């Protein structure tokens, strides 16, 4: 691009991919994608891929909206991403607070951002302090807490930890696991069933081929994953499959993973995560990006799910895209299809949580939105799939309907020193809650703060 064969889209602050200094950058695009052109006085000019589809990149800003502020723990000093805690320059609250309850793990994945495998467990007292910090920082109304690690099921008090999160009033609790204990210990899965209702298992699932697991996890795990899913299905525990996507390893199987999830009884959604490059790893020029995964899904499902069915999530349009499906006798159908959701962004809070009831209550309270064509189209789609007496059903009946007839597909793209731009970083809403009682955006923590 030395001949300026691009369109200059925006100025940004970025990180030098080589020396990690905070430097000036340009976001530019052409028909090959969107790039960050970096200008480092020490390392020279270099360029990194930001998005594979420039049209998606330009579209997503139609969905952007003001962030939700929350309490901060540190002051602005050196500049983003060095002041995390959160600092005053961060422009989004915590949608998902992630607590790593143990450093131990029963896998040795080469791309592990946490360098897990050895180390100890956090005490229950420390974990409770971290939960309390998260809840207090969100004004007593924190949304999603994700229990992670290492491998959290190795913590001897993991059931107590989940119950603690439920008792403290988090709206949704996730258990982030590789599934080994779920496959080997059916009694443990039976215990998890008591948390149903605002609880799900976030299951690492990279594909349906053991070659994928050998490449990404150094171990054949397909039978383990299938046994874990069989046990979760037996006890009807809502599960999201989480696929780390790496070009040349499993990016050609996004559609296969999705169709498998849609046809599996306990699976309520699939989350695709393009690999982030932390530590000493580095991306090829053609790294997989969020928009790249959307286009792969469309091609690999023969347009059963289209790239246009996804909307950039308003809480973080830079890095998250999502769609919701409802089911009838013919199968699943995206509620977002052919509806201009940019007109309805005010109906979607700065959150990963969304429910039909929330949307309908918002419609009732805002007649100007209700009268828009997009809103009317959405209401018609929802009414077409929902039982006529849905609102009047009991909570248990609603839960059963949602479990059996809805499906969520999301793509979460994290930030590393190669694709870093300041706006993305300052809107990131997945935050690590640290034992030192700070909240640090997931990407910043793994780029800088985890290694000090």
């Amino acid at each position: 691009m030395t001949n300026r064969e691009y369109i200059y889209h925006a100025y940004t602050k970025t990180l030098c991919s080589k020396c990690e200094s905070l430097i000036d950058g340009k976001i530019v695009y052409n028909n090959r994608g969107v790039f960050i052109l970096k200008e480092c006085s020490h390392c020279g000019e270099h360029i990194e891929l930001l998005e594979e589809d420039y049209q998606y990149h330009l579209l997503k800003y139609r969905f952007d909206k003001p962030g939700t502020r929350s309490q901060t723990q540190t002051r602005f000093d050196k500049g983003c991403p060095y002041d995390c805690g959160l600092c005053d320059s961060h422009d989004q609250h915590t949608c998902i607070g992630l607590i790593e309850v143990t450093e131990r793990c029963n896998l040795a994945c080469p791309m592990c951002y946490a360098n897990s495998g050895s180390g100890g467990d956090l005490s229950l007292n420390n974990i409770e302090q971290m939960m309390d910090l998260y809840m207090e920082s969100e004004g007593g109304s924190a949304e999603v807490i994700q229990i992670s690690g290492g491998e959290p099921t190795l913590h001897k008090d993991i059931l107590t930890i989940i119950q603690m999160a439920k008792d403290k009033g988090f709206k949704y609790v996730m258990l982030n696991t590789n599934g080994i204990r779920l496959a080997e210990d059916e009694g443990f899965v039976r215990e998890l069933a008591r948390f149903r209702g605002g609880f799900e298992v976030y299951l690492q699932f990279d594909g349906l081929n053991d070659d994928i697991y050998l490449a990404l996890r150094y171990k054949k795990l397909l039978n383990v994953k299938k046994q874990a899913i069989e046990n979760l299905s037996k006890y009807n525990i809502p599960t999201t499959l989480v696929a780390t996507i790496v070009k040349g390893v499993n990016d050609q199987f996004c559609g296969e993973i999705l169709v498998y999830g849609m046809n599996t009884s306990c699976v309520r959604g699939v989350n695709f995560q393009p690999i982030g490059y932390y530590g000493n790893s580095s991306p090829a020029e053609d790294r997989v990006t969020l928009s790249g995964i959307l286009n792969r899904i469309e091609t690999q499902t023969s347009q059963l799910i289209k790239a246009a069915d996804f909307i950039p999530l308003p809480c973080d349009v830079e890095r998250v895209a999502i769609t919701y499906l409802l089911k009838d006798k013919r199968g699943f159908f995206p509620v977002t299809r052919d509806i201009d959701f940019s007109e309805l962004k005010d109906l979607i809070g700065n959150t990963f949580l969304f429910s039909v009831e929330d949307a309908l209550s918002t419609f009732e309270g805002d007649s100007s939105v209700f009268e828009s064509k997009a809103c009317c189209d959405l209401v018609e789609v929802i009414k077409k799939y929902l039982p006529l007496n849905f609102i009047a059903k009991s909570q248990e009946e609603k839960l059963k309907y949602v479990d059996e007839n809805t499906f969520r597909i999301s793509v979460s793209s994290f930030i590393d020193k190669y694709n870093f731009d300041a706006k993305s970083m300052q809107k990131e809403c997945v935050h690590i809650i640290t034992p030192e009682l700070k909240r640090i955006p997931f990407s910043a923590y793994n780029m800088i703060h985890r290694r000090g």
Side-chain angles (χ1 to χ4, degrees):
M1 292 196 178
T2 54
N3 294 325
R4 300 298 187 258
E5 297 171 348
Y6 58 73
I7 295 174
Y8 180 9
H9 177 58
Y11 165 82
T12 189
K13 281 289 187 181
T14 186
L15 291 177
C16 176
S17 306
K18 300 172 183 178
C19 70
E20 300 185 17
S21 299
L22 194 60
I23 60 173
D24 294 332
K26 297 178 182 179
I27 296 178
V28 303
Y29 68 92
N30 57 26
N31 60 7
R32 294 189 292 115
V34 184
F35 304 85
I36 303 180
L37 188 60
K38 303 187 177 188
E39 301 164 340
C40 179
S41 59
H42 301 290
C43 304
E45 185 179 86
H46 50 290
I47 193 163
E48 303 287 358
L49 180 65
L50 184 60
E51 282 293 351
E52 294 166 75
D53 186 340
Y54 79 90
Q55 293 178 320
Y56 175 83
H57 181 79
L58 298 178
L59 166 74
K60 66 188 179 185
Y61 296 107
R62 293 171 52 198
F63 294 82
D64 211 353
K65 58 189 291 188
T68 300
R69 298 296 296 271
S70 58
Q71 292 181 16
T72 58
Q73 285 81 42
T74 60
R75 297 180 61 183
F76 181 85
D77 180 22
K78 298 177 182 177
C80 182
Y82 295 105
D83 299 322
C84 294
L86 295 171
C87 84
D88 291 331
S89 68
H90 201 78
D91 279 303
Q92 191 57 280
H93 77 127
T94 306
C95 288
I96 297 179
L98 194 152
I99 294 180
E100 297 176 345
V101 299
T102 182
E103 295 177 336
R104 294 186 294 133
C105 191
N106 43 15
L107 287 178
C109 307
M111 84 290 288
C112 180
Y113 54 79
N115 294 319
S116 297
S118 60
D121 299 344
L122 291 184
S123 69
L124 287 177
N125 182 58
N126 199 177
I127 293 168
E128 183 170 22
Q129 291 176 330
M130 295 158 74
M131 289 184 183
D132 289 343
L133 168 80
Y134 177 21
M135 186 64 76
E136 179 184 351
S137 298
E138 291 292 309
S141 186
E143 294 172 349
V144 183
I145 187 167
Q146 188 174 114
I147 309 301
S148 188
E151 171 50 46
T153 61
L154 297 181
H155 196 296
K156 64 182 179 64
D157 296 315
I158 185 59
L159 294 173
T160 301
I161 293 167
I162 297 171
Q163 186 62 59
M164 183 189 300
K166 299 281 285 187
D167 292 342
K168 287 187 177 295
F170 291 100
K171 295 179 182 178
Y172 213 83
V173 181
M174 292 177 169
L175 177 64
N176 184 356
T177 176
N178 60 32
I180 292 176
R181 183 174 180 185
L182 305 186
E184 296 176 348
D185 186 353
E186 183 181 333
F188 176 69
V189 179
R190 187 187 309 114
E191 288 292 322
L192 292 178
R194 62 185 162 99
F195 300 120
R196 284 188 71 246
F199 171 78
E200 73 173 45
V201 167
Y202 209 57
L203 180 65
Q204 178 195 91
F205 189 92
D206 300 319
L208 291 153
N209 184 320
D210 260 330
D211 289 340
I212 294 171
Y213 293 103
L214 284 172
L216 299 186
R217 311 294 171 186
Y218 285 177
K219 191 174 183 178
K220 291 183 177 181
L221 290 168
L222 182 57
N223 288 338
V224 171
K225 304 296 181 179
K226 287 186 173 181
Q227 184 61 56
I229 290 170
E230 181 178 327
N231 290 344
L232 290 164
S233 295
K234 181 176 182 179
Y235 294 98
N236 199 24
I237 298 174
T239 302
T240 293
L241 303 182
V242 186
T244 298
I245 303 299
V246 181
K247 188 174 180 64
V249 177
N250 62 346
D251 65 308
Q252 66 271 43
F253 299 120
C254 295
E256 182 179 77
I257 294 168
L258 188 52
V259 171
Y260 173 81
M262 293 168 67
N263 291 325
T264 303
S265 62
C266 70
V267 177
R268 308 292 180 251
V270 176
N271 176 248
F272 295 97
Q273 298 182 358
I275 186 172
Y277 293 90
Y278 303 115
N280 295 322
S281 60
S282 60
E285 290 183 5
D286 53 355
R287 70 184 293 163
V288 179
T289 68
L290 185 155
S291 59
I293 288 179
L294 301 187
N295 290 327
R296 285 168 173 82
I297 288 172
E298 177 170 327
T299 300
Q300 294 167 16
T301 63
S302 300
Q303 298 191 340
L304 173 66
I305 307 296
K306 299 179 181 179
D309 294 332
F310 289 82
I311 61 171
L313 199 61
C315 65
D316 187 3
V317 298
E318 303 287 342
R319 296 291 172 176
V320 184
I322 197 163
T323 190
Y324 290 89
L325 283 61
L326 291 175
K327 185 180 183 181
D328 65 7
K329 294 179 180 178
R330 296 167 294 178
F332 284 105
F333 183 83
V335 299
T336 52
R337 180 160 293 175
D338 299 326
I339 297 174
D340 185 0
F341 259 78
S342 65
E343 292 184 26
L344 303 176
K345 62 186 178 184
D346 290 334
L347 299 179
I348 305 170
N350 284 325
T351 176
F352 276 79
L353 291 180
F354 174 81
S355 73
V356 173
E357 290 173 279
D358 290 340
L360 291 176
S361 66
T362 306
F363 296 159
E364 294 167 358
D366 189 343
S367 59
S368 64
V369 174
F370 184 79
E371 292 167 0
S372 74
K373 180 181 183 305
C375 187
C376 291
D377 290 344
L378 178 60
V379 170
E380 288 304 311
V381 170
I382 291 175
K383 286 170 64 177
K384 179 179 177 181
Y385 285 87
L386 284 182
L388 293 176
N389 61 341
F390 178 79
I391 299 298
K393 286 181 177 292
S394 69
Q395 189 61 32
E396 186 61 31
E397 289 174 321
K398 289 177 181 175
L399 182 65
K400 185 175 186 295
Y401 175 85
V402 169
D403 282 351
E404 295 175 354
N405 298 281
T406 66
F407 200 84
R408 178 184 69 247
I409 311 169
S410 57
V411 184
S412 302
S413 174
F414 295 107
I415 306 164
D416 52 43
K417 66 182 180 180
Y418 303 97
N419 64 7
F420 178 94
D421 83 280
K423 182 184 178 185
S424 295
M425 189 74 266
Q426 292 173 359
K427 287 295 290 286
E428 187 167 282
C429 57
V430 178
H431 300 158
I432 299 279
I433 314 298
T434 74
E436 297 77 26
L437 304 184
K438 291 185 177 182
R439 289 178 299 155
I440 300 179
F442 178 90
S443 298
Y445 189 69
N446 290 308
M447 276 192 296
I448 297 169
H449 300 277
R450 184 184 295 278
R451 54 191 169 95

